Amino acid sequence: MKNNTVRVYDTVSKKIVEVEVSDEVRTHYNRTQWNIDDNNESFYKHEIQFSALIGGHENAFENFREFMTDYNVEKETDCKMFVEKLYNCLGLLSESERELIIMLYFENKTERECAALLHTTQQNIHKKKDRILCRLNKLLES
């Protein structure tokens, strides 16, 4: 065995291979005495056999439920299309309207904070917000 290589079990090829490592890795490898026998024993002890997953049933894939997600392509596509349309509609607003919506909904500012920044009252901000949201709703429906 070369000076800076370690022998390990390759789980893909199922063979023992020599891997070139740094001095530090080699030192830790030797210090822990993690030799090839320990590596093999540990691997086989914790390996989940594919045959155990499929279970030999007619419907073998029933054991793969933990790998499945609740990802709904149609729902995700609808959501992305709605967000895209919303951003397009935001582009149709005036600069001041868009600025107010961004402060309220993207920067999470309160109506009072927006009023202070825009030198107006909270009631005025609230009325503007309601008008803008009605306009956005109409734009989204069209």
Side-chain angles (χ1 to χ4, degrees):
M1 182 166 29
K2 296 176 188 167
N3 197 20
N4 277 340
T5 60
V6 292
R7 296 182 63 177
V8 294
Y9 182 77
D10 182 0
T11 59
V12 176
S13 68
K14 305 275 187 196
K15 296 180 182 177
I16 297 171
V17 294
E18 286 191 12
V19 178
E20 197 167 326
V21 295
S22 67
D23 289 332
E24 184 180 1
V25 170
R26 177 77 180 158
T27 302
H28 287 290
Y29 180 87
N30 288 337
R31 189 177 298 147
T32 60
Q33 296 178 3
W34 189 49
N35 61 34
I36 196 69
D37 295 331
D38 292 338
N39 188 14
N40 281 344
E41 183 180 320
S42 174
F43 173 76
Y44 286 115
K45 184 188 295 184
H46 300 292
E47 181 182 33
I48 297 173
Q49 299 295 323
F50 184 75
S51 58
L53 286 172
I54 62 172
H57 300 291
E58 284 181 28
N59 186 6
F61 293 102
E62 70 183 25
N63 294 317
F64 289 98
R65 265 187 242 119
E66 70 257 24
F67 300 112
M68 299 172 119
T69 63
D70 292 333
Y71 185 76
N72 184 330
V73 175
E74 186 177 336
K75 186 177 178 181
E76 193 69 27
T77 304
D78 288 345
C79 183
K80 285 182 180 183
M81 289 173 60
F82 176 78
V83 169
E84 186 177 313
K85 188 171 183 179
L86 176 61
Y87 275 98
N88 289 337
C89 291
L90 285 171
L92 299 174
L93 299 176
S94 70
E95 185 66 35
S96 62
E97 291 173 330
R98 191 170 39 255
E99 183 182 318
L100 181 60
I101 294 299
I102 288 170
M103 283 193 290
L104 289 168
Y105 294 100
F106 292 85
E107 297 173 359
N108 294 320
K109 292 190 184 330
T110 64
E111 290 178 357
R112 288 179 195 247
E113 291 171 329
C114 292
L117 289 169
L118 300 173
H119 308 292
T120 187
T121 63
Q122 178 268 326
Q123 292 83 2
N124 189 21
I125 294 295
H126 184 77
K127 287 179 186 177
K128 283 183 180 182
K129 177 188 76 170
D130 284 348
R131 279 195 304 266
I132 296 167
L133 291 177
C134 280
R135 184 165 174 226
L136 270 176
N137 192 30
K138 287 178 184 175
L139 288 169
L140 285 168
E141 288 176 352
S142 62

